Amino acid sequence: MTDQSGAASSAAGQDGPGLRRLTTRETAERLGVKPETVYAYVSRGQLSSNRAPGGRGSTFDAREVEALARRTGRREHAAPSGEPAFPTGITLIERDAYYFRGVDATELARNHAYEEIAEWLWTGTLRPGIRFTAPADARAAARRAVAALPPHSGSTDRLRVAVVAAATTDPLRFDLSREAVLGGARSLIPTLVAALPAIGEEAPAAAEDGVPPGLARELWPKLTRRPADEASLAVLDTALGLLIDHDLAASTLAARVAASARAHPYAVVSAGLGVLEGPLHGAASGLAHRMLAEALERGGAAPVVADHLRTGRRVPGLGHRLYTGEDPRAGTLFRLLERVPEAAPALNAARDVVTTATRHMPLHANVDLALAVLSVSSGMAAEAGETVFAVARTAGWIAHALEEYGEHPLRMRPSGQYTGPRPPQPLPSADGSQSAGPDRTETSPQ
């Protein structure tokens, strides 16, 4: 691929161990200037450049660019709405589609396993057949920690505890070099899956050819008692791939803030999990699950949709602020679910919800509704979609952490707009009133 200036894309490129190279376009975005100005910096000796592979365009040392950005006082971009916007080369969302490093994310998810997409997102290199494995000590520590939780604990509770337990077994967790972070990430994700208690029959440690099962096959028995079939596994694996990243969603922003403070990758993932549990984020699929289950029980979507609207609740699984049409993740999963015979009733109920709820307003299905079809039709618990979301998004948080570690630290430190009482105020007293305090004297006007 080439960037807008003709330079070969090398966002994950290296020029020697640990030295990341940026394209002309990336350098210009980081400095907040036009590509022509980048070459002016080169001519003035403020930046050095190398010819890109193939002789098209130039590449620049990320550390040199960062140092120049600090010297020139370049500030982050602001979105048209006035909100801060941070440059990222991971995910682009535009025209009702989204892309991982410039490649259509739905195409990647349809054609590659979750681990392959994660590796692509982290390194820009596709590694067919790659499998992530959990170290024995991390797996054992995570399982012991999760087993100590109360039986009513949710899956996100278990995942948060598993992350902390896994971190304690990794003495290299404070090493923020690219290779160390990648090594930890490749072991953390399967550790999280291994830590979840099995409901069904667990996948074998390795197939007859000695190759470990993919992450979707390992996750399946943690979600349902039903035996795995290839069509359902394809839906789960595709869902994992689709959900890896979605630009700066709330949990991803939290993860980047942690990485900006140079928190280690396990702490970054913990930050993301803490935000994910909100009902407006990862837990939204559980609401859609319950709605679909009720629609199946009552024989149609109309009374269920009416109940939601009558009580002032929004209808789960519909609409997305970043898409004017159907969420591309939902469309991809719906097409795969059509190949699963057991999914037909839930899929029809989901379509009934869309038809009923959008009779007077232009809303479309989002990924939460598609996850609900998978969870309802597979006999999974309502929180299964949240589990899938959390496991999948861990790879995205790591990708953003890797990117953030290359930025200057603590850049995500906004200033508060104080709206409280203006100082000086008297010291408060124990009864809740305010007094001048023993070291102040007050005079009354004469």
Side-chain angles (χ1 to χ4, degrees):
M1 294 185 296
T2 59
D3 66 16
Q4 293 174 352
S5 65
S9 179
S10 58
Q14 304 285 332
D15 186 17
L19 299 181
R20 184 168 176 268
R21 307 293 298 182
L22 302 179
T23 64
T24 304
R25 178 180 57 80
E26 291 171 327
T27 301
E29 289 179 352
R30 182 66 190 90
L31 296 173
V33 298
K34 296 179 180 179
E36 294 81 1
T37 306
V38 172
Y39 290 106
Y41 286 138
V42 174
S43 67
R44 293 197 294 264
Q46 293 175 281
L47 278 179
S48 59
S49 65
N50 290 344
R51 296 297 293 175
R56 300 187 65 187
S58 301
T59 64
F60 302 84
D61 187 312
R63 292 175 300 185
E64 270 194 11
V65 174
E66 177 57 40
L68 180 59
R70 287 195 296 268
R71 292 198 303 271
T72 57
R74 185 247 178 176
R75 300 182 64 83
E76 304 302 338
H77 292 297
S81 62
E83 300 171 353
F86 299 95
T88 174
I90 298 173
T91 300
L92 170 67
I93 301 175
E94 66 177 10
R95 293 190 293 274
D96 283 350
Y98 74 119
Y99 307 86
F100 293 156
R101 296 193 180 278
V103 178
D104 188 301
T106 60
E107 289 290 328
L108 278 171
R110 282 196 295 264
N111 291 282
H112 295 283
Y114 169 78
E115 294 97 319
E116 295 170 351
I117 301 171
E119 195 72 19
W120 162 257
L121 209 63
W122 294 337
T123 68
T125 300
L126 191 66
R127 297 176 61 187
I130 188 173
R131 293 289 185 268
F132 299 158
T133 56
D137 57 344
R139 185 171 59 246
R143 281 179 165 171
R144 286 195 301 270
V146 167
L149 293 174
H152 63 265
S153 301
S155 63
T156 306
D157 296 324
R158 297 185 176 107
L159 291 173
R160 287 205 305 265
V161 169
V163 171
V164 175
T168 63
T169 69
D170 186 359
L172 301 180
R173 63 186 180 277
F174 298 106
D175 183 351
L176 303 186
S177 67
R178 188 173 185 81
E179 286 310 310
V181 172
L182 288 173
R186 294 180 185 117
S187 66
L188 173 60
I189 295 174
T191 297
L192 296 182
V193 174
L196 295 172
I199 301 173
E201 183 178 349
E202 292 199 66
E208 293 181 1
D209 57 4
V211 177
L215 198 78
R217 189 174 291 274
E218 291 186 47
L219 180 60
W220 182 268
K222 310 303 178 86
L223 302 174
T224 179
R225 290 184 175 85
R226 293 188 183 179
D229 60 86
E230 292 304 317
S232 296
L233 281 176
V235 178
L236 178 58
D237 188 54
T238 302
L240 289 167
L242 291 169
L243 292 168
I244 281 182
D245 192 54
H246 206 235
D247 195 30
L248 289 181
S251 59
T252 304
L253 180 59
R256 286 200 78 130
V257 170
S260 179
R262 295 304 182 258
H264 58 69
Y266 298 88
V268 167
V269 172
S270 292
L273 286 170
V275 176
L276 186 73
E277 200 171 16
L280 300 182
H281 197 9
S285 61
L287 302 176
H289 174 108
R290 294 181 180 91
M291 176 192 65
L292 271 190
E294 185 181 356
L296 287 169
E297 182 182 344
R298 298 176 68 174
V304 179
V305 170
D307 284 349
H308 275 77
L309 297 178
R310 182 169 60 243
T311 55
R313 293 173 292 163
R314 61 181 295 272
V315 180
L318 298 180
H320 196 291
R321 63 187 295 266
L322 297 180
Y323 300 113
T324 57
E326 185 178 66
D327 184 335
R329 300 169 297 178
T332 300
L333 291 178
F334 285 150
R335 285 187 286 275
L336 286 176
L337 285 161
E338 289 173 353
R339 305 175 189 175
V340 181
E342 295 80 4
L347 191 56
N348 289 334
R351 288 169 173 158
D352 192 12
V353 167
V354 174
T355 301
T356 302
T358 61
R359 201 169 289 171
H360 303 297
M361 48 187 174
L363 290 175
H364 301 272
N366 62 35
V367 72
D368 297 317
L369 190 61
L371 286 174
V373 173
L374 172 63
S375 58
V376 168
S377 63
S378 301
M380 299 176 182
E383 67 175 2
E386 182 178 348
T387 306
V388 174
F389 203 119
V391 171
R393 192 57 59 89
T394 298
W397 296 329
I398 295 293
H400 281 273
L402 285 165
E403 195 172 63
E404 192 60 36
Y405 290 150
E407 299 286 349
H408 62 276
L410 294 175
R411 69 183 182 126
M412 294 186 175
R413 173 58 172 91
S415 298
Q417 185 177 2
Y418 180 73
T419 59
R422 295 299 305 171
Q425 295 289 321
L427 288 174
S429 64
D431 62 3
S433 62
Q434 290 183 314
S435 64
D439 60 338
R440 290 175 181 256
T441 58
E442 294 202 4
T443 60
S444 58
Q446 298 296 324

